[in-house]
């Protein structure tokens, strides 16, 4: 847009520039003019002077009154370069360090010089829009910090240091920058919104003792006066303190406890909105972190906060009403389609979703909009339009304000200022500028209008609500909706209605419940079994009575309510999951993602994005995110399976990939935690030197919804080595603690439960063995000590996380063991013996009498197939090495058929039986039923499995000791 600078000035502006040049020549002395011409000769853009004289009477006035600030800027080269972040503050500190420097005059003169630089660079397009807002903000920050330090020194000389009553530590004033200053987005003539806080009540330690509150009140007043008072040199920044607790009627400063009490007990949603951009400009790092930690739960709810929507809707209505009432259509900030509406759009998503999507916990508006696009809150095209409009509107605001250094966002009415504004925005004339402005504002207004639409209400439904939850609630009402067992269904509704939990609800929660229940009853009536659906959803309603934001979420999103009812009606397991973890309601908002379970690469990417915004040393936050991540994706898989979008094999793949991705992150977090304490263990390569192997269902890529994880940990590092940190420990101790920390992260019960139960019994020597085995120890145990059943378990061993180099070493051991030549008869006897023991231990003795077939342990069931496959691998891998390559039963069966070791028809029959059993087990799990079916079911599959078992092991059955096979 800087091309316009090469265009000649319009006549009205050219005339002004010529007039002002003449005035400058009249005002300056001959010596000043000579110095000016010398300095200006080195400036590479000679046309900039007339441009600035014409477009900013403020700059022209500064030059007429005193050329020294401009001469300094030219000599230092600061007009032509960006300033480092701390450079402005260092310059101000140097100016105040001069002997006999007075705070107020120095601040004001410094402000004038830097505003001259900022507006010059902005108007000449030497700085982009965001550099202008940043530099103005840095000027304000420098002014605040230097004025505060200067004022505090004077107060301490009189009263001593303010100290905490309990800690005895010196106390500091935290100046919270709100709004645009908090986000470093100040305009060039902005006031600054501040809140003052200090950590701890107490008193000063000087000869004249006053309370900490009195001390910091005096300090705050001195700071405001230093910045806000108008003197002969002007002012620095106008200060607005109305955002503090209780506004103008409240105390000027508050300690942390008072702030926390206020926001917990009286904080309103508009104050959450205001605090989104809050940033401490002063104070010790520990105090700042404590204050931020205290405020964060108030600003950002842990769940997607649809409870705030009513408040946001009211704010939106107030914005629109104010535009109409005050006639603000010509205001680029407050008018329709103005800056405020862009900000509102971004901050709405921050309040609603910022607790869950941590990327929204940012202050800078454009960064938040980009995150909205990334998260799918807004289409990328909408974000592009909002970004372009925002930058145009901010440039317009700067053009208006930089004209006379006045705090205004109203479109100019004077022809000269209109011409200047049009030129600065790269438009040929005022009409062209208005056309561009109107186009941007229309797009912003459309997005603003579409945000948080008013809920639709149907008059006939409103009239019926009383009969569906009010005093007239009865079985008749439910029967009219299509409930088949209305008497049974109305009983728990009436019990809930009269319960203490409902009667003690605050007004907001009661109102939401009264609005929600009729909608729930109608939604359940649309399902195939309304009574069943209602019975499964009601526990969720009871669970969220005191967290009514969830009811607001479902009221605002009727489609999500429909999904909830349908999924709960289809699966009591999902109903229980939702009642235990109602935060998962958020997942119902996006139907496309709900029924799309991502592959491993997408899972890795999604988890990486979620944890990237967390401090890796914040173990609790990492554990929380991991648990939500798991629960959300398990829900997606279950929803997809119930609706037929995923086959059995895909379900197991998805659940297995999910576990692997979580294990990778758990290992990363545990590794960071341990190395931060002890340093890294001595090892030859760069990797962890540690591998996590999955056995059983995890190794076989066959996880189900409630599977635990059979894990084995193996490390490869210097046997006598130690860690490199100041608290050095032996490598073996380090890796043992690494395994323990992983188990802790996986098994600890939190609000969202455990990640996984972990079973370590398949490690060398089982429960009596070391938690973590070295590669040498693992190899030695497998070669010299392991039982046959442990070699069977090794068939399903697979690297699921950690160091691939260590994994390759273990794989070499695994394949070496599996490919050993074995005496087939003895092996068959061992396999039969172990199978019989397992069945005697795990299969109920009365299964046959009860007419039951246990899918897993029954004769001809899942475990029989697994044992036959494991036998085949151990018996024949020395002849057919490809058998030892796979860890999953399906591909091993394919290899057995391809190599002619089993008949092809046998392999197909076993595969079909295996998939049928596992699919049935999945469906039973979703119905919260055990994996038991009537004995007559799956007869063909059972016959095929039993026939192959007899073919392999019939001659060894009698040799294996035991109590005899069970029938089912």
């Amino acid at each position: 847009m800087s091309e316009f600078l090469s265009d000649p000035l319009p006549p009205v502006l050219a005339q002004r520039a010529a007039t002002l040049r003449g005035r400058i020549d009249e005002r300056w002395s001959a010596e000043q003019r000579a110095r000016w011409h010398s300095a200006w000769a080195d400036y590479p853009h000679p046309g900039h002077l007339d441009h600035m004289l014409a477009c900013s009477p403020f700059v022209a006035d500064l030059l007429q009154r005193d050329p020294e600030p401009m001469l300094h800027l030219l000599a230092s080269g600061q007009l032509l370069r960006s300033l480092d972040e701390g450079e402005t503050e260092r310059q101000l500190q140097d100016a105040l360090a001069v002997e006999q420097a007075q705070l107020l005059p120095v601040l004001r003169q410094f402000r004038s010089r830097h505003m001259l630089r900022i507006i010059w660079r902005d108007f000449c397009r030497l700085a982009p829009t965001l550099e202008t807002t940043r530099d103005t903000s840095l000027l304000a920050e420098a002014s605040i910090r230097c004025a505060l330090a200067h004022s505090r020194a004077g107060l301490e000389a009189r009263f001593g240091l303010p100290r905490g009553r309990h800690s005895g530590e010196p106390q500091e004033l935290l100046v919270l920058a709100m709004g645009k200053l908090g986000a470093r987005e100040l305009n060039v003539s902005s006031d600054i919104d501040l809140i003052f806080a200090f950590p701890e009540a107490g008193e000063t330690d000087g000869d004249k003792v006053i309370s900490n509150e009195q001390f910091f009140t005096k300090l705050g007043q001195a700071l405001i006066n230093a910045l806000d008072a108008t003197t002969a040199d002007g002012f620095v920044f106008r200060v607005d303190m109305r955002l503090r607790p209780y506004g103008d009627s409240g105390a000027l400063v508050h300690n942390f406890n008072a702030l926390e009490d206020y926001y917990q007990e009286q904080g309103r949603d508009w104050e959450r909105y205001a605090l989104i951009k809050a940033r401490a400009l002063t104070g010790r790092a520990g105090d700042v972190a404590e204050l931020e930690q205290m405020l964060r739960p108030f600003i950002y709810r842990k769940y997607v906060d649809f409870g705030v929507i009513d408040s946001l809707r009211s704010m939106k209505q107030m914005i629109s009403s104010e535009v109409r009432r005050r006639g603000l259509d010509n205001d680029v900030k407050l008018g329709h389609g103005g800056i405020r509406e862009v900000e509102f759009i971004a901050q709405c998503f921050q309040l609603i979703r910022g607790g869950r999507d941590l990327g929204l916990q940012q202050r800078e508006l454009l960064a938040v909009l980009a995150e909205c696009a990334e998260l799918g809150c807004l289409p990328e095209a909408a974000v592009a339009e909002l970004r372009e409009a925002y930058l145009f509107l901010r440039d317009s605001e700067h053009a208006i304000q930089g004209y006379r250094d006045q705090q205004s966002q109203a479109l100019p009415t004077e022809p000269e200022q209109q011409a200047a504004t049009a030129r600065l925005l790269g438009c040929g004339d005022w009409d062209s500028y208005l056309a561009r402005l109107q186009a941007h504002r229309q797009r912003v207004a459309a997005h603003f209008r579409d945000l948080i639409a008013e809920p639709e209400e149907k008059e006939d439904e409103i009239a019926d609500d009383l009969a569906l939850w009010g005093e007239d609630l009865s079985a008749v009402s439910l029967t009219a909706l299509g409930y088949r067992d209305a008497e049974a269904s109305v009983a728990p509704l009436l019990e809930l209605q009269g319960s203490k939990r409902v009667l003690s609800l605050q007004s907001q929660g009661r109102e939401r419940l009264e609005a929600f229940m009729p909608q729930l009853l109608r939604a359940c009536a649309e399902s195939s079994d309304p009574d069943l659906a209602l019975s499964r959803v009601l526990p969720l309603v009871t669970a969220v009575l005191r967290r009514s934001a969830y009811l607001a979420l479902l009221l605002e999103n009727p489609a999500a309510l429909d999904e909830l009812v349908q999924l709960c009606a289809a699966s009591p397991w999902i109903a229980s999951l939702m009642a235990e973890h109602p935060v998962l309601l958020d997942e119902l908002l996006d139907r496309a993602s709900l029924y799309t379970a991502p592959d491993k690469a997408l899972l890795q990417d999604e988890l990486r994005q979620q944890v990237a915004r967390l401090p890796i040393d914040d173990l609790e936050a990492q554990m929380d995110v991991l648990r939500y991540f798991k629960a959300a994706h398990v829900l997606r898989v279950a929803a997809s399976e119930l609706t037929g979008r995923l086959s059995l094999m895909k379900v197991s793949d998805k659940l297995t990939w999910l576990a692997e991705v979580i294990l990778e992150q758990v290992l990363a977090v545990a590794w960071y935690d341990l190395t931060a304490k002890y340093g890294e263990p001595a090892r030859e390569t760069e990797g962890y030197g540690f591998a996590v192997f999955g056995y059983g269902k995890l190794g076989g890529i066959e996880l189900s919804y409630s599977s635990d994880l059979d894990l084995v940990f193996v490390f490869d590092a210097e046997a006598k080595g130690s860690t490199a940190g100041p608290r050095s420990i032996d490598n073996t101790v380090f890796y043992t603690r690494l395994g323990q920390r992983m188990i802790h992260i996986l098994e600890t019960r939190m609000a969202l439960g455990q990640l996984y139960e972990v079973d370590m019994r398949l490690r060398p020597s089982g429960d009596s063995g070391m938690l973590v085995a070295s590669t040498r120890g693992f190899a030695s145990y497998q070669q010299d000590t392991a039982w046959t059943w442990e070699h069977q378990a090794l068939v399903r061993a697979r690297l699921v996380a950690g160091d691939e180099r260590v994994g390759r070493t273990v794989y070499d051991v695994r394949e070496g063991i599996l490919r050993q030549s074995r005496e087939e008869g003895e092996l068959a006897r061992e396999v039969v013996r172990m199978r019989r023991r397992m069945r005697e231990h795990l299969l109920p003795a009365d299964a046959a009498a009860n007419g039951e077939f246990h899918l897993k342990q029954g004769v001809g069931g899942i475990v029989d197939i697994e044992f036959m496959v494991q036998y085949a691998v151990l018996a024949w891998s020395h002849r057919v090495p490809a058998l030892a390559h796979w860890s999953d039963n399906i591909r091993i069966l394919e290899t057995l058929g391809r190599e002619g070791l089993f008949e092809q028809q046998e392999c197909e029959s076993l595969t079909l039986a295996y998939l049928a059993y596992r699919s049935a087990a999945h469906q039973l799990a979703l119905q919260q039923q055990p994996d038991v079916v009537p004995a007559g079911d799956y007869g063909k599959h059972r016959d095929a499995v039993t026939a192959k078992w007899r073919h392999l092991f019939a001659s060894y059955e009698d040799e294996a000791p035991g109590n005899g096979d069970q029938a089912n």
Side-chain angles (χ1 to χ4, degrees):
M1 198 169 69
S2 60
E3 294 82 2
F4 70 85
L5 290 168
S6 60
D7 296 338
L9 288 167
V12 66
L13 297 182
Q15 182 179 350
R16 169 189 278 178
T19 299
L20 291 171
R21 269 182 177 274
R23 291 179 185 172
I24 287 174
D25 284 340
E26 292 173 4
R27 296 277 185 94
W28 288 355
S29 67
E31 185 266 340
Q32 286 175 326
R33 285 195 295 271
R35 289 172 58 209
W36 169 264
H37 289 304
S38 173
W40 188 252
D42 294 329
Y43 187 77
H45 310 291
H48 283 184
L49 179 58
D50 279 356
H51 168 73
M52 291 303 299
L53 292 175
C55 293
S56 178
F58 166 69
V59 169
D61 182 59
L62 288 178
L63 293 179
Q64 288 179 71
R65 284 192 282 117
D66 184 4
E68 293 304 323
M70 188 64 175
L71 290 171
H72 173 81
L73 290 171
L74 287 170
S76 65
Q78 291 179 30
L79 282 181
L80 298 174
R81 68 174 178 86
S82 302
L83 297 184
D84 296 335
E85 181 167 322
E87 195 169 351
T88 302
E89 188 165 347
R90 289 194 297 272
Q91 291 179 17
L92 181 52
Q93 288 170 342
D94 291 344
L96 287 168
V98 173
E99 190 175 354
Q100 295 185 334
Q102 293 183 321
L103 179 63
L104 269 65
V106 169
L107 284 174
R108 282 147 182 78
Q109 292 159 15
F110 187 83
R111 186 259 183 195
S112 292
R113 189 176 84 209
H114 274 269
M115 288 312 303
L116 171 61
R117 173 189 172 274
I118 289 168
I119 292 174
W120 186 288
R121 283 178 56 77
D122 184 80
F123 280 23
C124 293
R125 295 301 177 254
L126 298 172
T129 309
L130 298 185
E131 182 179 318
T132 297
T133 58
R134 168 187 172 273
D135 282 359
T136 309
S137 302
L138 290 174
L139 173 61
E141 292 176 29
S143 302
I144 289 168
R145 282 193 280 264
C146 290
L148 189 71
H150 189 281
S151 302
R152 178 170 178 134
L155 287 170
E156 287 179 356
R158 295 171 57 196
F159 304 108
L161 288 173
R163 292 187 177 276
R165 179 176 298 142
H166 301 293
S167 68
E169 294 292 321
Q171 302 292 294
E172 292 189 15
L173 183 69
L174 276 70
V175 178
L176 274 184
M178 309 291 284
K180 288 187 169 63
L181 177 57
R184 285 189 171 168
E185 295 170 346
L186 278 187
N187 55 54
V188 296
S189 187
S190 180
D191 59 4
I192 54 177
D193 296 294
L194 304 177
I195 290 178
F196 297 151
F198 62 97
E200 190 179 352
E203 60 186 23
T204 60
D205 63 2
D207 293 335
K208 186 176 181 181
V209 175
I210 60 175
S211 70
N212 286 354
E213 183 174 3
Q214 290 172 308
F215 181 92
F216 288 121
T217 297
K218 292 178 183 292
L219 181 56
Q221 290 167 339
L223 174 61
I224 293 169
N225 184 66
L227 300 174
D228 194 89
T230 300
T231 70
D233 295 306
F235 65 94
V236 187
F237 286 95
R238 291 170 292 271
V239 179
D240 191 333
M241 300 295 300
R242 290 175 296 175
L243 292 178
R244 69 186 188 270
Y246 305 106
D248 285 338
S249 63
L252 187 66
V253 299
H254 294 80
N255 64 48
F256 285 5
N257 285 339
L259 275 181
E260 185 171 28
D261 289 344
Y262 173 82
Y263 287 123
Q264 282 186 353
E265 296 173 10
Q266 301 183 52
R268 289 153 291 182
D269 286 327
W270 70 261
E271 288 174 300
R272 293 174 58 199
Y273 185 91
L275 283 165
I276 283 176
K277 294 180 182 290
R279 178 170 58 94
L281 304 182
T282 62
R284 290 187 294 262
D287 293 337
V288 171
E290 181 183 350
L291 182 60
E292 289 178 344
Q293 185 175 5
M294 182 187 80
L295 291 175
R296 190 173 294 113
F298 171 67
I299 303 168
Y300 300 108
R301 305 301 193 236
K302 274 194 171 184
Y303 44 81
V304 174
D305 186 11
F306 277 85
V308 78
I309 282 185
D310 284 339
S311 296
L312 291 172
R313 186 179 287 120
S314 297
M315 290 184 214
K316 178 184 171 185
Q317 290 169 346
M318 288 171 60
I319 290 172
S320 300
S321 298
E322 185 185 20
V323 172
R324 291 190 297 269
R325 187 180 70 254
R326 294 175 55 191
L328 296 174
D329 281 330
N330 287 328
D331 193 299
V332 297
K333 176 184 177 181
L334 304 177
H336 282 309
I339 295 167
R340 180 169 60 174
E341 292 188 1
V342 182
E343 293 171 336
F344 185 80
I345 291 168
Q347 289 180 255
C348 274
F349 288 111
Q350 288 183 280
L351 281 187
I352 294 171
R353 297 188 54 161
R356 266 279 322 284
D357 297 309
L358 301 186
L360 292 171
Q361 292 186 18
Q362 303 184 62
R363 299 180 180 93
E364 299 82 1
L365 182 135
L366 292 183
V368 172
L369 285 177
E371 189 68 19
C372 286
E374 184 73 21
L375 293 170
C377 304
L378 288 169
E380 289 187 6
V383 169
E385 288 181 352
L386 290 169
R387 175 186 173 85
E388 185 180 356
Y390 177 74
L391 293 174
F392 185 88
L393 290 164
R394 291 306 301 267
D395 286 339
S396 298
E397 180 182 45
H398 292 159
I400 294 166
Q401 295 182 338
Y403 188 75
R404 286 198 178 93
D405 190 25
Q406 292 179 340
Q407 188 185 19
S408 172
Q409 286 95 3
L411 292 174
T413 56
E414 298 174 5
E416 287 184 345
Q417 189 176 359
Q418 288 179 342
T421 302
R423 176 175 172 81
L424 289 170
L425 273 294
C427 300
D429 53 39
W430 182 244
D431 288 340
S432 299
Y433 167 75
L434 286 179
R436 286 186 61 195
L437 175 67
Q438 186 64 13
H440 283 304
R441 290 178 61 175
Q442 284 176 348
R443 285 191 281 270
V444 172
H447 293 303
F448 178 76
R449 186 172 56 250
D450 292 342
L451 187 73
I452 313 181
E454 293 294 324
E456 295 182 5
E457 292 186 341
K458 300 177 183 178
E459 292 184 7
D460 55 339
E461 289 188 358
I462 296 173
D464 291 341
D465 281 359
L466 205 59
L468 293 180
W469 186 245
E471 296 178 358
D472 296 335
L473 174 63
S474 67
V476 175
S477 308
L478 298 186
T479 301
L481 282 178
Y483 285 75
R484 297 164 194 162
D485 192 357
E487 290 289 349
S489 290
V490 80
L493 292 173
L494 293 171
E495 182 181 349
L496 176 64
Q497 198 176 59
S499 67
K500 288 183 178 179
R501 298 185 69 180
V502 169
L503 295 176
S504 62
L505 286 176
Q506 295 182 354
S507 59
Q508 184 186 59
R510 190 178 304 110
E511 289 167 3
R512 286 176 176 169
L513 183 65
E514 289 170 354
F516 173 74
M517 288 306 296
Q519 302 306 318
L520 172 63
L521 294 174
R522 292 189 184 97
C524 290
E526 297 297 321
S527 69
S528 58
D529 189 338
D531 305 281
L532 177 67
L534 179 62
S535 68
R536 289 180 176 175
V537 178
L538 271 182
L540 168 65
V541 177
T542 303
V544 301
L545 281 175
R546 299 197 180 280
R547 291 174 286 174
S548 64
Y550 290 121
L551 301 182
L553 180 155
L554 295 169
L555 281 168
E556 292 287 340
N557 296 273
L561 176 57
D562 291 340
E563 295 295 343
L564 172 68
V565 168
Q566 296 307 316
L567 288 173
C568 290
S571 167
W573 181 86
I574 288 182
S576 296
L577 180 71
M578 302 303 288
E580 291 171 13
H581 309 306
V583 67
L584 293 174
L585 289 170
D586 301 345
E587 298 302 313
L588 306 183
L589 300 178
D590 185 348
R591 195 173 191 275
S593 66
L594 176 63
Y595 295 110
T596 304
D599 59 21
K600 186 173 181 179
L602 289 174
L603 284 169
Q604 289 172 320
D605 185 58
E606 183 178 331
L607 182 56
R608 192 178 299 118
Q609 290 180 47
Q610 291 190 24
V611 300
R613 304 176 182 97
L614 297 174
I616 196 166
D617 59 349
D618 190 341
L619 185 59
E620 184 176 352
Q622 293 274 347
M623 290 166 70
D624 269 335
V625 165
L626 284 168
R627 278 155 178 75
Y628 183 86
F629 180 79
K630 183 207 173 184
H633 281 284
V634 168
L635 174 63
R636 293 184 191 182
V637 172
S640 299
E641 183 175 17
L642 281 171
T643 54
R645 289 173 170 84
L646 284 181
S647 65
L648 166 72
M649 294 289 285
K650 291 295 183 183
V651 168
S652 292
D653 286 350
K654 304 287 187 184
L655 294 173
T656 302
W657 293 337
L658 177 61
E660 291 174 11
V661 169
I662 288 172
L663 284 168
E664 289 169 358
Q665 181 60 22
V666 168
L667 175 56
V669 172
W671 176 267
Y672 179 88
D673 187 51
L674 268 291
T675 55
K677 292 179 181 177
Y678 306 114
E680 295 197 5
R683 58 200 190 284
E684 295 180 358
T685 58
E686 288 295 316
Y688 290 118
F690 181 89
V692 181
F693 270 76
Y695 279 57
K697 289 182 178 179
L698 176 60
I701 319 177
E702 295 171 356
L703 279 190
S704 59
Y705 296 106
S706 56
S707 295
D708 58 9
L709 301 183
D710 293 301
L711 301 180
V712 170
F713 300 145
V714 184
F715 75 94
D716 186 10
E718 296 179 21
K720 297 182 180 180
S722 59
T723 61
R727 297 172 58 190
S728 181
I729 57 176
D730 290 345
N731 279 352
T732 302
V733 175
F734 175 89
Y735 282 115
T736 299
R737 292 183 181 177
L738 181 63
Q740 290 169 337
R741 183 50 53 93
M742 286 189 68
I743 294 170
H744 168 77
I745 295 171
L746 290 165
E747 290 197 328
T748 298
R749 291 195 176 277
M750 302 180 69
L752 275 166
Q754 293 178 304
L755 277 171
Y756 294 96
E757 288 274 2
V758 177
D759 190 335
M760 299 293 299
R761 290 176 295 175
L762 291 175
R763 68 186 188 271
S765 299
D767 285 339
S768 62
M770 296 286 291
L771 182 69
V772 180
S774 68
T775 50
R776 288 184 181 180
F778 181 84
S780 174
Y781 180 84
Q782 293 294 340
Q783 291 161 1
D784 303 330
T785 309
W787 296 82
T788 299
W789 68 264
E790 291 177 288
H791 287 172
Q792 287 181 247
L794 194 62
V795 171
R796 310 191 82 181
R798 185 173 60 86
L799 178 68
V800 292
D803 193 323
E804 291 187 1
R805 184 187 62 82
V806 180
R808 286 193 296 273
T809 301
V810 175
Y811 273 136
D812 289 343
V813 173
R814 172 185 176 274
E815 295 200 3
I817 295 296
L818 298 184
R819 291 174 183 175
Q820 288 178 356
S821 177
R822 293 174 172 82
E823 200 284 310
E824 292 183 19
E826 181 57 31
L827 174 64
R829 280 186 284 272
E830 287 289 333
V831 169
V832 170
R833 185 180 301 117
M834 178 53 62
R835 178 69 189 102
R836 182 169 292 163
R837 287 176 181 171
M838 182 182 290
R839 187 174 290 132
E840 290 170 354
H841 181 65
L842 297 174
L843 184 66
D846 58 354
N850 292 336
E852 297 172 346
F853 170 51
H854 288 243
L855 292 168
K856 185 174 181 180
Q857 294 294 341
V859 172
I862 290 173
V863 178
D864 283 357
I865 299 173
E866 292 173 344
F867 269 53
M868 287 190 287
V869 167
Q870 291 161 10
Y871 167 79
V873 172
L874 294 177
W876 303 323
S877 287
H878 69 286
R879 290 192 286 116
V880 183
L883 284 173
H885 182 69
W886 305 112
S887 65
D888 63 287
N889 292 305
I890 299 302
R891 283 184 288 192
I892 295 174
L893 284 168
E894 290 174 355
T895 306
L896 288 169
R898 186 173 60 250
E899 297 293 335
L901 298 170
F902 281 10
E903 295 292 335
Q904 189 64 42
Q905 180 61 45
E906 292 175 333
C907 289
E908 291 174 2
S909 296
L910 292 176
T911 298
L912 289 174
Y914 194 65
L915 294 177
Y917 296 156
R918 285 182 51 220
S919 180
H922 274 227
Q923 294 299 323
L924 288 168
L926 289 175
Q927 298 303 319
Q928 293 185 318
Q929 298 294 321
D931 55 354
V932 178
V933 297
D937 291 359
Y938 302 103
K940 182 178 179 181
H941 292 313
R942 295 175 67 193
D943 289 344
V945 175
T946 303
K948 187 59 183 175
W949 180 274
R950 289 172 180 159
H951 176 258
L952 289 173
F953 302 126
S955 58
Y956 307 104
E957 291 277 6
D958 295 336
E959 300 178 35
N963 297 328
D965 270 343
Q966 311 258 352
N968 287 280

